Amino acid sequence: MQTTHASSFALGSPEILAEIFSFLAPGPPDEEALYAVKRARKELQATLARAARVCRAFSVPALSALWRVTDSIVLLLSVLPSVILKARLPPRDVGFYYGMTRDATDAEWIRFQEYAMRVRHLHARREDPPISPTAWTFLARRCGGNRALLPLLRTLEVKFVAPDAGPILLLSTNLRHLSIDFRAEPTTSSAAEAGAVNNVIIELLMQDIIPSLLALRVRSDNVAVTGKIPYSTFAHLHVLEVAQPLVVDRDMLGALMAFPHLLRLVMLVERLSLPEGVRLSPGFATLRELELIGHPQELQRFIHATTPPSIQSLALTIRSWTIDPIDETSGDILAIETLLRSVTRAVRRLKLSFATWIPPQGIDGFLLAAIELNDLTHLAINVEEPSFPSCVLFEDTFRDVVAAWPNLVELTIDILRLSPDPDVISTDTFPTLQALILFLQHHPGLETLVLPFLDGVTSDLRRPFPEVDAVPLLGHGLKTLRISLVDDVGLPKLTAVAMAVDRLAPNLDLSAAQHQVWIHRCPREYSHWADVEQVLFLLRTTRGERRTIWKPFSLNLSRVGL
């Protein structure tokens, strides 16, 4: 009887139910998360949706948890029956957009507001079609005056495509985290019209929104517009990210360094207007995460001038190189290596991204320059358009760093695009399987490992893969392993690689291998590695290690020659 009374009390208490369902509330979407993490998030959303239909007592707290983090404004607007997807009429334009066939009725608007009041975090999906200006006009008419469409919103990702100012309805004085993207639509508006709209938006931001923010992220392809934003005056911010070219002078940099609460800073440095070799007064006392985008020598001068003492995460994105017909880019390479050797030893996460080609000197020097950062836990090097041999991690370098970074959790040396080249595939300088084994033995806590190539994992018959019996039963706890394969190595070698990997790291996350959609979306450089994962999944299945499967699937054995 007491148990029944306690259960009835719990079901009748909104506070208790809200606390229970809060544990099921999905976090913000992460496009870079593992497939299993994305799948688990969708399952949480589905669970909350089902719970909301169980009974009236569950409905309100379950819906509040479900809609607290909303992935897209389109999902929220779909509550209104009059919102539909429409096609643009060629030849003026093509594609799709969301519009409204009519204004919302009073009952429909009341129901929409019930959902809108639950939203605290609104994100933006890249694949969503835009919302028509007419639809925004209907919504503005319903909001009336200065009321926001989502009055309790705390986090917002929004894109303004001038001259459409409709998303201004999403701005609220309750916002604490704002990510805003300014774009222009030159095919439908003049520069003057777009500029006037953006000026209105910026004025509203400066007066009503930014003073209450903790985090501000600005991205723009129009420097003339966002260049009017005085970033150095926002001393109350904890996070400032500016993804637009900036000319940084002494006054601006000094003001940023004096921000008392700044934890994360992202800057696209077009030019650093400082004398060579100058060092500024100590600053950035609270800064923990720093991301710089620009030319190597400008970034090295930035670090030299500011010497941030306590950063734990450093990310560098190289947008361009110096083209010198005499010594090519040796000055740029030296600048990056000098930067890495001079940065504080407090750095735990280091990420180097190359948005363009990478010089022939390669990435080996960068790894060796970072070897003194003994406490690194995450190290990533991403190359957009590599040239051989710069994209390759050489065997000698891999062995040189095998004992470095004892607390390493992630090592990623990733190539995003690579043209099939026999010279690349048949090189003798790739890390060997023995070097890989040695690296895993020295890093028991490693969870993610991505390598550009591995010796023997190619179609070159002159480079055989070692016998499986020679691979130790290491039992490493590695969760993610990827090695690029630009050619079809054939079933025998594919099977040998899969069996070797299974002996080294039997706990790899193969949730993505269970679904054909992952195979089709896999980048070309890893499409054949997806075949290895398919064989690994087959090996586990034959051993009886059946895992929970999200939905029925069919293993495409034809891809691995079975």
Side-chain angles (χ1 to χ4, degrees):
M1 181 68 69
Q2 292 180 351
T3 303
T4 303
H5 176 74
S7 301
S8 300
F9 175 77
L11 290 175
S13 172
E15 293 80 8
I16 294 179
L17 290 176
E19 182 69 19
I20 293 173
F21 285 118
S22 68
F23 288 97
L24 298 177
D30 184 2
E31 295 182 358
E32 299 181 358
L34 291 174
Y35 184 87
V37 176
K38 295 179 180 179
R39 186 186 69 182
R41 187 173 182 274
K42 289 183 177 293
E43 289 178 343
L44 287 176
Q45 292 173 326
T47 299
L48 288 171
R50 288 191 295 266
R53 297 191 291 268
V54 170
C55 62
R56 292 183 179 180
F58 284 9
S59 180
V60 172
L63 286 176
S64 297
L66 176 62
W67 286 92
R68 182 178 182 85
V69 178
T70 303
D71 295 352
S72 169
I73 184 61
V74 170
L75 298 176
L76 182 62
L77 294 181
S78 63
V79 174
L80 296 172
S82 57
V83 175
I84 62 173
L85 184 64
K86 298 182 178 182
R88 300 184 187 274
L89 297 178
R92 181 183 178 187
D93 205 351
V94 294
F96 296 89
Y97 68 96
Y98 282 96
M100 295 182 68
T101 57
R102 56 172 175 80
D103 197 355
T105 64
D106 291 342
E108 292 171 350
W109 187 251
I110 292 174
R111 181 170 180 268
F112 172 81
Q113 286 182 308
E114 292 177 355
Y115 285 86
M117 294 292 289
R118 297 184 173 106
V119 180
R120 300 294 185 274
H121 310 276
L122 180 62
H123 298 271
R125 293 188 305 195
R126 298 177 183 176
E127 65 271 19
D128 281 341
I131 299 170
S132 70
T134 305
W136 287 117
T137 301
F138 280 129
L139 296 172
R141 186 184 306 160
R142 278 289 179 178
C143 288
N146 296 322
R147 291 191 307 172
L149 186 66
L150 307 175
L152 300 181
L153 196 63
R154 306 283 288 183
T155 302
L156 173 63
E157 293 178 3
V158 63
K159 178 188 293 186
F160 284 95
V161 182
D164 182 14
I168 203 170
L169 291 176
L170 302 175
L171 299 177
S172 166
T173 54
N174 287 319
L175 282 174
R176 295 298 177 265
H177 304 267
L178 175 62
S179 178
I180 188 167
D181 190 352
F182 290 94
R183 297 297 175 199
E185 190 65 52
T187 58
T188 59
S189 63
S190 65
E193 184 181 5
V197 171
N198 282 328
N199 287 338
V200 172
I201 297 171
I202 291 175
E203 184 178 355
L204 174 64
L205 291 174
M206 295 292 297
Q207 292 181 358
D208 300 333
I209 307 300
I210 292 179
S212 302
L213 292 179
L214 296 177
L216 174 64
R217 300 172 178 87
V218 179
R219 180 183 297 273
S220 175
D221 58 359
N222 190 347
V223 180
V225 174
T226 52
K228 302 176 182 179
I229 302 178
Y231 298 106
S232 59
T233 63
F234 305 150
H236 62 286
L237 290 178
H238 292 204
V239 175
L240 176 60
E241 301 183 10
V242 185
Q244 70 172 73
L246 292 175
V247 176
V248 182
D249 57 18
R250 180 189 290 268
D251 292 339
M252 181 180 185
L253 195 53
L256 292 174
M257 294 175 66
F259 279 17
H261 310 295
L262 191 63
L263 298 174
R264 174 174 171 80
L265 176 64
V266 178
M267 297 188 71
L268 198 167
V269 182
E270 180 73 13
R271 182 168 58 87
L272 190 62
S273 183
L274 288 176
E276 289 288 342
V278 68
R279 285 185 182 271
L280 301 180
S281 301
F284 286 140
T286 60
L287 192 65
R288 296 296 179 267
E289 299 180 24
L290 176 62
E291 180 175 346
L292 298 175
I293 308 166
H295 187 274
Q297 298 186 35
E298 297 295 326
L299 303 190
Q300 189 271 329
R301 292 176 58 216
F302 185 101
I303 294 294
H304 177 79
T306 59
T307 57
S310 305
I311 55 172
Q312 299 177 359
S313 176
L314 175 64
L316 305 174
T317 298
I318 307 303
R319 299 182 71 209
S320 61
W321 301 92
T322 300
I323 305 300
D324 190 323
I326 298 178
D327 63 353
E328 295 183 344
T329 56
S330 58
D332 295 345
I333 296 293
L334 180 61
I336 297 176
E337 294 176 356
T338 303
L339 186 156
L340 294 177
R341 290 192 175 97
S342 63
V343 75
T344 173
R345 299 298 181 263
V347 172
R348 302 292 184 270
R349 292 172 175 263
L350 176 63
K351 181 177 181 180
L352 303 177
S353 301
F354 301 91
T356 58
W357 59 281
I358 183 171
Q361 289 90 333
I363 61 177
D364 288 50
F366 304 151
L367 288 175
L368 295 176
I371 202 170
E372 297 179 8
L373 301 175
N374 296 325
D375 294 330
L376 274 184
T377 58
H378 295 75
L379 174 58
I381 299 178
N382 299 323
V383 185
E384 182 76 17
E385 296 179 357
S387 59
F388 181 75
S390 61
C391 60
V392 178
L393 171 63
F394 295 103
E395 164 77 2
D396 293 343
T397 303
F398 196 49
R399 287 185 176 273
D400 287 340
V401 301
V402 73
W405 318 305
N407 301 318
L408 203 62
V409 176
E410 175 192 0
L411 175 62
T412 297
I413 302 176
D414 205 355
I415 53 176
L416 304 183
R417 285 196 296 270
L418 182 66
S419 300
D421 185 340
D423 292 335
V424 173
I425 296 172
S426 62
T427 183
D428 296 336
T429 58
F430 295 154
T432 61
L433 180 63
Q434 292 303 320
L436 173 61
I437 295 172
L438 192 62
F439 191 84
L440 292 176
Q441 290 174 335
H442 278 82
H443 298 89
L446 193 67
E447 296 182 359
T448 300
L449 179 61
V450 178
L451 296 176
F453 295 104
L454 192 67
D455 185 46
V457 189
T458 69
S459 60
D460 187 355
L461 298 179
R462 297 171 298 173
R463 312 296 300 175
F465 195 74
E467 294 293 333
V468 174
D469 293 340
V471 180
L473 291 169
L474 197 58
H476 196 279
L478 196 67
K479 298 290 187 355
T480 302
L481 174 65
R482 288 208 321 261
I483 300 173
S484 62
L485 292 175
V486 297
D487 57 352
D488 189 354
V489 300
L491 178 60
K493 184 173 286 190
L494 197 70
T495 305
V497 172
M499 295 179 68
V501 170
D502 190 52
R503 293 171 69 90
L504 293 176
N507 300 312
L508 287 181
D509 178 14
L510 298 178
S511 57
Q514 303 178 18
H515 306 279
Q516 293 302 313
V517 65
W518 167 199
I519 300 298
H520 296 310
R521 293 181 181 176
C522 186
R524 182 176 58 80
E525 279 65 43
Y526 298 104
S527 59
H528 292 294
W529 185 256
D531 294 340
V532 175
E533 291 184 330
Q534 290 273 295
V535 176
L536 275 170
F537 182 78
L538 184 60
L539 290 173
R540 286 185 178 180
T541 304
T542 56
R543 287 202 304 263
E545 297 182 17
R546 299 187 179 274
R547 309 295 175 91
T548 302
I549 298 176
W550 182 35
K551 60 182 179 180
F553 75 100
S554 58
L555 189 62
N556 189 357
L557 300 180
S558 62
R559 288 182 54 84
V560 296
L562 298 178

